[in-house]
Amino acid sequence: MDIWTLMTIFVLACFVGYFVVWGVTPALHSPLMSVSNAISGIVIIGALTLAGAENMDESKIFALLAVFLAAVNIFGGFVVSQRMLMMFKKKTSATQKENK
Amino acid sequence: MFVSSSFMAFVYILTSVLFILSIRGLSSPKTARKANLLGIFAMFLVLAVTFFSPDMKDFVWPLIVLFLGAMLGSYMAIKVKMTALPQMVALFNGLGGLSAVFIALAEILHHQNTPIETSLGMIIGALAFSGSMIAFAKLQGLISPKALGFKYLHSLNLILAVALIGVCVAFCLNKNLSLFYILAALSLILGFLLVLPIGGADMPVIISVLNAYSGWAAVGIGFSLNNVLLIIVGAIVGASGAILSYIMVKAMNRSLWHVMSGGMNEKKEVSSQSVANHNQTAKVGSPEDAAFIMENSSKVIIVPGYGMAVAQAQHVLRTMAKDLAEKFGVEVKFAIHPVAGRMPGHMNVLLAEANVDSEDVFEMDAINHEFETADVAFVIGANDVTNPLAKTDASSPIFGMPVLEVGKAKTVFFVKRSLNSGYSGVDNPLFYADNTLMLYGDAKHVTEQIVAVLEQK
């Protein structure tokens, strides 16, 4: 794809990000950070295509390291987000029980 | 069996939409969990499809390494204490940055088609990595959280930045690999030096900035590899980090420039004068007094700060709130300043962990007008975020910072270890106000004593 098509996509994505993120409630800013941590691990798909090369050379080793780090990011980010969000859940259901 | 490139493009569109929806879902705690699962599903989908792309001639090694990373990441995420969340997020930001650096290196060794984009992705990634390592070390207490710096640090950073641009241009022109390594080294050093002079109180800002960097690094890699998905996701993460930085900077009434140059030191001498000005003494209360006053009031607002979390007092604090509400019919609310924790939204998570109902927790702007009608403001482990000097004393380093107006409540309790000033080194005149009672001691211990009194009745 030519650079200007990519540029267009980039600028539009910034706008989407801007509006979506302002809609996040301040109470969930910590999960927002860990979710964005996790999804920034999307670089893993770039790393994977380079790590999938046939020959084990320097390039492949660097790419494998990148896969490892991005995987830590993705799984760590999503798991800790889910942990946090479960805490926010727990107490609303707990109070519902108490009310009954 | 390989997937076609048009199928791949379709999956990319789907993934982008799902990621956007997963962040959109964070607009309310009710939708947030499902949204997160949506994000996880999208990530699995795109990973699975990538393994079937024609580029994957070997998938054994990538799969092994992916599995190891997944194990390590999940383990850390399950084990981490919620008080230590900021340093883990800092660490993850750094790993994301380092990952971008390695991809850039792999790409440069492989084709060198896009030197400018690859260099940019690598530089931002390296800055995010080394900066995050310093932030991590400060938050974890491995190095002093104070602003560290030396006389010519800013000039040195400027020289490094200029050198960085020079080497980058040189590399793009003649594509000499050793220049790329020099570029990486310069970026790493600059990242270290940029975060070193930033003090502990500014950590919420710097974590957000580094979060944005890890997003911009992904954008750079996306341009370098001609990958639309990386660009879209990177831009959203970058926007998220930038907005959070803005919110944090606003909440402290600082400019980003001021934070980055570690600017809190300059004004310290001025503020120590205002400490010497008063000769009043603070009135000391006992846990019994606090219990008696609170059980007879109709509305109590609790203001938790990071000191509460350090003392691990959140659970007993929740018990106190529950006893007051259920045994004595007191209306109890929690008031949270945007920088109450060590990262955006940190205090909300800590309270949620202690089972405080999120409907009882209010952001500063939503609750500030309610202090006038409150009988008690119970400030526990917080100081600077309640300091009225931020409104009145132009020489104070925290001047202009929006604060919680606890002084308007009929009675104010401060649970503190001593009269020591807060993180910013500023004295708080509220300690000496007529309607203030100090409850000295460990936050957890004091609250436990109050709960003991409440539960006798």
Side-chain angles (χ1 to χ4, degrees):
Chain A
M1 242 178 276
D2 83 302
I3 181 85
W4 289 110
T5 315
L6 293 176
M7 236 3 168
T8 310
I9 293 168
F10 170 62
V11 172
L12 292 178
C14 285
F15 274 91
V16 172
Y18 180 85
F19 289 110
V20 172
V21 171
W22 272 118
V24 174
T25 169
L28 295 180
H29 275 164
S30 286
L32 169 66
M33 289 196 97
S34 57
V35 167
S36 61
N37 245 323
I39 67 171
S40 71
I42 193 70
V43 291
I44 199 169
I45 63 173
L48 278 174
T49 51
L50 290 162
E54 251 172 334
N55 304 318
M56 186 60 92
D57 55 7
E58 275 175 305
S59 167
K60 178 159 174 158
I61 291 168
F62 281 132
L64 283 172
L65 283 169
V67 170
F68 175 75
L69 295 171
V72 174
N73 239 350
I74 293 170
F75 283 79
F78 276 131
V79 170
V80 83
S81 309
Q82 195 65 17
R83 249 187 87 193
M84 278 189 255
L85 296 172
M86 293 303 274
M87 291 168 184
F88 281 92
K89 167 201 188 180
K90 208 164 51 185
K91 115 225 80 282
T92 36
S93 58
T95 40
Q96 273 161 12
K97 268 177 215 155
E98 280 163 22
N99 291 342
K100 279 171 199 169
Chain B
M1 189 201 78
F2 290 133
V3 294
S4 68
S5 62
S6 51
F7 181 70
M8 202 76 171
F10 169 73
V11 171
Y12 280 6
I13 298 171
L14 188 65
T15 311
S16 310
V17 172
L18 290 177
F19 279 155
I20 291 167
L21 289 177
S22 79
I23 292 184
R24 172 81 200 139
L26 293 174
S27 55
S28 150
K30 292 189 187 82
T31 52
R33 262 162 302 119
K34 274 184 196 147
N36 196 44
L37 294 175
L38 217 56
I40 294 172
F41 168 74
M43 189 61 88
F44 268 107
L45 181 71
V46 75
L47 279 177
V49 173
T50 305
F51 269 98
F52 287 102
S53 80
D55 291 324
M56 298 298 289
K57 297 185 179 71
D58 161 37
F59 58 87
V60 178
W61 274 109
L63 206 57
I64 293 171
V65 172
L66 174 67
F67 180 75
L68 291 176
M71 287 292 109
L72 179 63
S74 310
Y75 177 79
M76 287 165 70
I78 290 167
K79 284 285 164 190
V80 70
K81 286 206 177 94
M82 284 300 138
T83 40
L85 196 63
Q87 46 268 52
M88 194 180 71
V89 168
L91 186 67
F92 282 170
N93 281 335
L95 298 184
L98 189 60
S99 177
V101 172
F102 283 138
I103 297 172
L105 281 168
E107 169 69 7
I108 284 292
L109 289 164
H110 207 244
H111 342 265
Q112 310 200 344
N113 289 335
T114 49
I116 303 171
E117 294 89 335
T118 312
S119 306
L120 279 177
M122 192 278 288
I123 293 170
I124 304 169
L127 289 174
F129 170 64
S130 55
S132 297
M133 288 306 110
I134 297 287
F136 171 78
K138 287 193 176 200
L139 287 161
Q140 184 76 21
L142 300 176
I143 59 173
S144 160
K146 286 199 193 105
L148 303 171
F150 44 90
K151 209 174 171 188
Y152 298 108
L153 184 64
H154 296 311
S155 329
L156 180 64
N157 283 344
L158 194 66
I159 294 167
L160 275 173
V162 173
L164 198 72
I165 296 168
V167 176
C168 186
V169 171
F171 170 73
C172 294
L173 291 177
N174 70 11
K175 298 190 181 173
N176 182 336
L177 258 186
S178 52
L179 283 176
F180 195 74
Y181 292 123
I182 295 175
L183 196 60
L186 281 176
S187 313
L188 288 174
I189 297 170
L190 188 60
F192 278 124
L193 294 180
L194 279 175
V195 180
L196 213 51
I198 296 173
D202 289 327
M203 277 303 147
V205 181
I206 211 64
I207 294 181
S208 312
V209 170
L210 292 166
N211 192 27
Y213 276 15
S214 67
W216 302 133
V219 172
I221 297 299
F223 273 106
S224 152
L225 301 178
N226 223 329
N227 189 312
V228 183
L229 185 56
L230 264 57
I231 295 177
I232 295 174
V233 173
I236 292 167
V237 173
S240 158
I243 289 173
L244 289 174
S245 317
Y246 172 81
I247 294 174
M248 290 297 108
V249 163
K250 269 292 235 210
M252 296 195 281
N253 190 44
R254 323 252 338 250
S255 70
L256 197 55
W257 176 246
H258 225 99
V259 171
M260 298 300 273
S261 53
M264 222 170 212
N265 313 347
E266 311 153 22
K267 288 181 180 170
K268 259 206 173 135
E269 290 149 38
V270 188
S271 65
S272 53
Q273 290 171 356
S274 58
V275 179
N277 282 343
H278 52 73
N279 306 313
Q280 306 108 305
T281 45
K283 278 186 285 184
V284 182
S286 68
E288 289 77 21
D289 299 335
F292 179 76
I293 293 175
M294 284 197 285
E295 71 186 47
N296 288 308
S297 35
S298 57
K299 185 169 171 183
V300 172
I301 300 179
I302 299 172
V303 180
Y306 192 66
M308 183 276 294
V310 172
Q312 292 289 325
Q314 54 269 48
H315 292 91
V316 65
L317 190 65
R318 191 253 172 180
T319 311
M320 185 186 93
K322 200 169 164 235
D323 284 348
L324 284 173
E326 288 174 5
K327 291 181 78 173
F328 302 99
V330 182
E331 184 186 3
V332 183
K333 291 182 172 178
F334 288 81
I336 297 194
H337 192 278
V339 292
R342 282 286 172 276
M343 67 184 276
H346 193 192
M347 189 54 68
N348 300 78
V349 173
L350 293 170
L351 291 180
E353 188 189 20
N355 276 328
V356 174
D357 195 324
S358 58
E359 284 172 14
D360 297 335
V361 179
F362 296 85
E363 302 301 319
M364 177 171 66
D365 293 336
I367 202 168
N368 238 350
H369 63 275
E370 287 195 36
F371 283 105
E372 282 176 25
T373 57
D375 299 292
V376 172
F378 188 82
V379 186
I380 176 163
N383 179 6
D384 290 338
V385 298
T386 64
N387 197 332
L389 283 183
K391 289 199 158 171
T392 53
D393 181 3
S395 69
S396 167
I398 57 171
F399 180 67
M401 175 170 124
V403 288
L404 287 158
E405 294 166 348
V406 295
K408 289 186 176 165
K410 284 199 195 81
T411 309
V412 185
F413 289 108
F414 271 97
V415 182
K416 267 186 123 282
R417 285 181 171 279
S418 67
L419 267 184
N420 284 347
S421 49
Y423 228 32
S424 65
V426 191
D427 196 30
N428 192 338
L430 271 183
F431 297 163
Y432 315 99
D434 289 334
N435 60 340
T436 299
L437 281 174
M438 305 298 292
L439 301 168
Y440 289 124
D442 173 72
K444 187 176 180 183
H445 188 63
V446 169
T447 317
E448 274 167 355
Q449 286 176 306
I450 296 174
V451 168
V453 177
L454 289 176
E455 297 202 337
Q456 277 168 13
K457 297 180 185 172

